[in-house]
Amino acid sequence: MSDPKLLTISGSLRAGATNRKLLAEAARLFGPAEVTEADLNLPLYDGDDEQASGIPEAVQRLADQIGAADAVIISTPEYNGAPSGVLKNALDWVSRTSNKPWQDKPVAIMSAAAGRAGGEKSQMLLRTFLVPFQPRVLTAPQVHLAASHSEFDEGGRLLSELYTETLEALMTALRAEIAR
């Protein structure tokens, strides 16, 4: 049997974002898998542009990556109590494609944020944003990485044993959901 295909989606565009680091740790703890990182550097959704030019190639590529993945892992920052605009924009664009890539897709959500709640509000809203797409979003365990800038070593590994154990439990649950 081949390794599962995972798509990781970071709600932050920064190369050194802690959400990207958290996704890398999630993929490592998941175990053997074919991992692809999504690119959310997409144009802003505009219905007039869609009508004039259709679905942008980068958006269709993202939708195809979601559809081809056995599971998706999303890590979102929290900006002003919500997921990033970049992530919401990507969800809006993908919803305009014809292939319904999210439907019945196993999805694990996590967050890394500067605040002490670790992105709890952004996760709650992201779960709500995903409802219309009908994925199989895991409900637990929840990973809210607080003060995320100080939670990784120089190699990008999580420092906290508790965060590592919780993330590993989430990845175990995702692996089980793929097999379901």
Side-chain angles (χ1 to χ4, degrees):
M1 188 169 174
S2 63
D3 291 338
K5 294 178 182 176
L6 297 179
L7 179 66
T8 62
I9 299 177
S10 172
S12 177
L13 295 177
R14 283 186 318 108
T18 56
N19 282 282
R20 280 208 158 94
K21 291 178 183 180
L22 186 56
L23 287 166
E25 277 291 84
R28 181 182 71 80
L29 293 169
F30 182 89
E34 182 183 320
V35 180
T36 301
E37 182 180 357
D39 180 2
L40 298 192
N41 199 353
L42 307 171
L44 288 175
Y45 177 74
D46 181 327
D48 291 338
D49 287 346
E50 179 188 8
Q51 188 173 23
S53 305
I55 301 293
E57 183 180 321
V59 171
Q60 190 60 57
R61 181 174 34 257
L62 176 59
D64 292 345
Q65 288 173 330
I66 294 166
D70 293 309
V72 178
I73 307 170
I74 303 172
S75 190
T76 181
E78 186 167 291
Y79 298 154
N80 302 308
S84 67
V86 166
L87 184 53
K88 180 66 166 85
N89 183 59
L91 294 174
D92 291 341
W93 261 122
V94 169
S95 76
R96 304 298 299 164
T97 64
S98 60
N99 55 339
K100 299 186 181 192
W102 289 109
Q103 192 156 4
D104 205 36
K105 184 73 58 183
V107 177
I109 294 173
M110 60 193 67
S111 53
R116 66 178 183 221
E120 187 174 11
K121 288 179 186 176
S122 65
Q123 276 196 45
M124 179 185 66
L125 288 172
L126 178 56
R127 290 172 193 281
T128 303
F129 293 166
L130 289 170
V131 167
F133 309 131
Q134 301 175 2
R136 296 189 335 247
V137 178
L138 298 177
T139 58
Q142 293 186 11
V143 177
H144 306 110
L145 190 64
S148 62
H149 61 281
S150 62
E151 289 296 334
F152 295 93
D153 67 16
E154 296 79 26
R157 294 279 176 95
L158 281 169
L159 295 169
S160 166
E161 189 175 317
L162 178 60
Y163 280 136
T164 302
E165 289 172 0
T166 306
L167 183 56
E168 187 169 27
L170 180 60
M171 292 301 98
T172 299
L174 184 60
R175 190 175 276 286
E177 189 63 25
I178 292 170
R180 183 171 82 84

